[in-house]
Amino acid sequence: MSASVAPAATPSRPAPPRHPRSRGIRRGEAGAGWLFVSPVILILGVFLLVPVLMALWVSFSDWSGRGSPLSGSVSFVGLDNYVAITTGGGLAERDFGTALRNNAWYVLLVVPLQTVLSLFLAVLVSRRILRGRGFFRTAFYFPSVTSSVAITVLWLFLFSFAGPVNQILSAIGLAAPNWFSDPRGIVHVALAAVGITDGPDALTGTGFLGVSWWDWLSGPSVAMSAFVLMAVFTTSGTFMLLFIAALQNIGVELGEAGMMDGASGWQRFWHITLPQLRPTLFTVITLGLIGCWQVFDQIYTGTQGGPAKTTMTPAYLSYTSAFQNQDWGVGAAIAFILFVIIIAFTLLQRWVLRDRPVSKRRIRAYQPRAAASTPSASPKGADA
Amino acid sequence: MKRHTARTMLAAGSLAVASSLLLTGCGQGFSGSGSDPSASAGGLTSSDKPLTIMIGSSGDAETKAAQDAVAAWSAKSGVSASVVAATDLAQQLSQGFAAGSPPDLFYLSTDQLAGFASNGSLKAYGDQLSNKGDFYPSLVKNFTYDNTFFCAPKDFSTLQLVINENLWTKAGLTDADIPTTWDQLAAVAAKLTSGTTKGLVFGGEYARLGAFMAQAGGRLVSEDGKTAEANSDANVTALAYVQKHLQDGTFAYASDVGAGWGGEAFGKQLGAMTIEGNWITGALGDYPDVKAKVVELPAGSAGKGTLQFTNCWGMAADSPNQKAALDLVEYLTSADQQLAFSKAFGPMPSVQSAAQTWKSDNPSLVAFLNGADYAQGVPTNKGAADVIKDFNAQLESLKTGDPKKILDTVQSNLEAVVG
């Protein structure tokens, strides 16, 4: 488009020199620049880029964990490692399917819960009339700075068979589950409560990755639900901090304008505050998604994948395949599939949260009854 | 401008790759010399390099005993050696092997043997041991992979029945009632069940239920390790027996009564009997009120049966001083040294020549050592550990499951890794 205009705009300007950096007072600047960034490039290269590339190579090789993966005795096996966990039809495939199932439910519950809770807490402690705001901010943030291993141990104690949580539950007359040894999925438990214990053949007969659709729909196990609660408990403090920062950046003018127009508190939050938090929302959900798909330390220190593999996650499966079974290629392949899943989810939510043109319905609401006064917003809107 | 950025990034990237490859290339671990396949067969390396011994210690007592023993050997042989207690043995070993600088000697469990043996990390030195004939044959079989005896069994343990004597007499039972058949076991378990105390509590996993399978004459993998026989009638009978009594409430899994393992349930008197190995004696120190009596497990239709667990002294193929390492293994597995270990932290010696002394030293634990005569090992095929993990996952719901169906799944999983 602009190609036809550009020459006319600068008719008399001389052609730029081909190598501006080789002449004059700025000579050597590029070299100095490279010198200054080289430590970072070197460090990132050695500790990030090369390990990632080597892991990628391992996922396509038959490296068995002895000696260098780049030595001559290691050979390229193509997609064998990926095939083994996605179409093998054996235990490896079912394990991978189970791990994905567990983690998908974990993500599905943790990400929305922690986002909503952290936003709620942030709004709560940002209110100017609240006394002792500093105390509450610290209190809500505290679980986030505690190490996840310590929190896991605490959780194992709280949710043990005769632990405080179960004592409270039985004190108020609720059935106390045996949290960390209960492999039943909560959706299955709910269905069993209304008398459905076996799925229809359409769901039990077929499946994906060696796990039947009925089992995909089982929901997180009771044990995994305890981890879901823990993740929400520990991470909402961190994300609350992000939301507080974003809330402080929002000017009061729009809110006051809304107030003048008679918007209720909820309407102001939903239509004025929340849209302005969109960039922070994107950050929080992205970080949440990444963190949830990579959940490892709670599993490693807490349950080691049990009961009945219902807390096994791809990250933990990758670890056991590599370090315990010496199947390094499979372990690396799982890690890269996980990487692709995370990228896909991030792109998806970026697309969902994209800036959209104002919808026609919305525009209509803002138009004066007389109409035809805002042709620029939408040519068709003028007709309505 | 855009193109310029792209070119810069490309340059930066390639510089990074080139420089880091250079760096790693200079590093010791990536020389590639560690993958010499001939190292795992034939002669031993010899040099004056010091030895490193990595152990997965159960506690200070074990670490100290190992350090003392190795120091005594060092003084005798003149080769310096140091003991490292690993925090995560599997991971630290893997790191060592990948870097080409593994410890010379290390604890190795049966389920790790196949993985490390098949990738050439291990030196198979079993046949060169001067005390080879002294080890229990079933233990030697545990550490035989591809018809090669890889490493010397360090010690071992078997499962037996542990009885709470107070609850036993309170229920009106005497020594004459000690069960020798499955029916008798079910009968005493029913008598011992009262209130929150179950008759027999054990971990819901193959490493406990496998004893019942052995008593019925079953096993997961045939004795030569070549055929899967998980869904045999014997195994189905065994699981059906356990299931029946899980359902009538006289048996229970440790997790179902809120305990981490059988020993904890036994100590807290949530179970009047449990099935555990000789490691339980250490744990019972926490429960001074509980008086334990160890007897042999009852016999099933195929006679007595139990499972045994063992570790060996693995030797790295990359070790520069295997000759000295072999000498150290012979020293550590000698009858005298194993009896000293036994005194320090309680394991059972893996050599037959130490049996008599051990029995007279530990009269209350004799049943455990008697088990060596009929115990079977757990499968050691590569990938079998995963199958057993999956089996354990299914055993957790044995109470409501179908034993035959569970074993059929195990069978098809095992067939993929056996043979």
Side-chain angles (χ1 to χ4, degrees), chain A residues 21 41-42 46 49-50 54 64-68 71 73 91 94 161 178 181 300 307-309 319 323 325-326 328, chain B residues 4 16 19-20 23 30 34-35 88 91 94 97-98 116 119-121 255 258 317-318 382 386 390 393 396 409 413:
Chain A
R21 58 183 105 148
I41 292 179
L42 210 67
V46 172
L49 194 64
V50 169
M54 271 171 79
S64 58
R66 179 163 180 251
S68 164
S71 72
S73 58
L91 190 59
R94 203 163 60 238
F161 187 57
N178 196 348
S181 10
Y300 177 73
K309 296 188 178 177
Y319 166 79
F323 283 91
N325 302 347
Q326 308 300 318
W328 296 83
Chain B
H4 181 69
S19 51
S20 26
L23 276 180
F30 291 96
S35 8
D88 186 336
Q91 191 205 320
S94 299
F97 285 127
F116 285 134
N119 70 14
S121 299
S255 58
D318 290 337
K382 184 162 163 51
D386 270 354
D390 192 67
E396 289 187 40
T409 327
N413 289 339

Side-chain angles (χ1 to χ4, degrees), chain B residues 103-304:
Chain B
D104 302 280
L105 283 180
F106 42 87
Y107 283 11
L108 187 68
S109 64
T110 41
D111 57 345
Q112 284 179 315
L113 175 76
F116 285 134
S118 64
N119 70 14
S121 299
L122 293 183
K123 171 76 193 168
Y125 66 88
D127 289 331
Q128 303 179 47
L129 284 163
S130 58
N131 56 346
K132 182 190 169 196
D134 199 9
F135 294 106
Y136 288 97
S138 60
L139 295 178
V140 171
K141 205 172 279 166
N142 264 185
F143 293 110
T144 302
Y145 178 77
D146 263 357
N147 296 322
T148 315
F149 176 29
F150 264 82
C151 49
K154 182 171 79 68
D155 47 38
F156 78 115
S157 37
T158 61
L159 296 175
Q160 294 297 8
L161 189 66
V162 187
I163 296 171
N164 183 324
E165 283 202 279
N166 292 342
L167 296 175
W168 184 264
T169 43
K170 215 187 271 173
L173 296 166
T174 62
D175 276 359
D177 296 311
I178 286 172
T180 54
T181 67
W182 281 6
D183 289 340
Q184 290 174 9
L185 179 68
V188 294
K191 270 195 188 154
L192 287 164
T193 303
S194 69
T196 56
T197 305
K198 300 281 185 183
L200 175 64
V201 177
F202 47 88
E205 52 182 335
Y206 163 71
R208 301 292 175 276
L209 277 83
F212 289 105
M213 286 158 54
Q215 289 151 18
R219 47 197 306 140
L220 287 182
V221 177
S222 64
E223 223 167 334
D224 58 7
K226 297 223 167 70
T227 2
E229 40 192 55
N231 59 354
S232 65
D233 291 341
N235 287 345
V236 176
T237 318
L239 290 197
Y241 169 76
V242 174
Q243 182 187 38
K244 184 177 157 214
H245 295 291
L246 285 174
Q247 284 168 350
D248 70 21
T250 53
F251 292 6
Y253 286 163
S255 58
D256 292 333
V257 296
W261 61 294
E264 186 189 341
F266 184 79
K268 290 182 173 168
Q269 312 216 13
L270 299 165
M273 299 186 286
T274 187
I275 300 173
E276 286 295 340
N278 49 323
W279 53 80
I280 196 176
T281 49
L284 287 180
D286 299 342
Y287 309 100
D289 308 340
V290 174
K291 220 168 145 233
K293 181 186 179 73
V294 182
V295 299
E296 288 184 60
L297 281 164
S301 55
K304 287 180 181 177

Side-chain angles (χ1 to χ4, degrees), chain B residues 57-77:
Chain B
S57 179
S58 61
D60 289 345
E62 184 168 358
T63 311
K64 178 144 189 328
Q67 280 168 343
D68 290 350
V70 169
W73 173 83
S74 258
K76 202 179 66 147
S77 67

Side-chain angles (χ1 to χ4, degrees), chain A residues 220-235:
Chain A
S221 68
V222 177
M224 194 54 135
S225 308
F227 279 131
V228 167
L229 293 176
M230 184 171 105
V232 172
F233 173 71
T234 51
T235 50

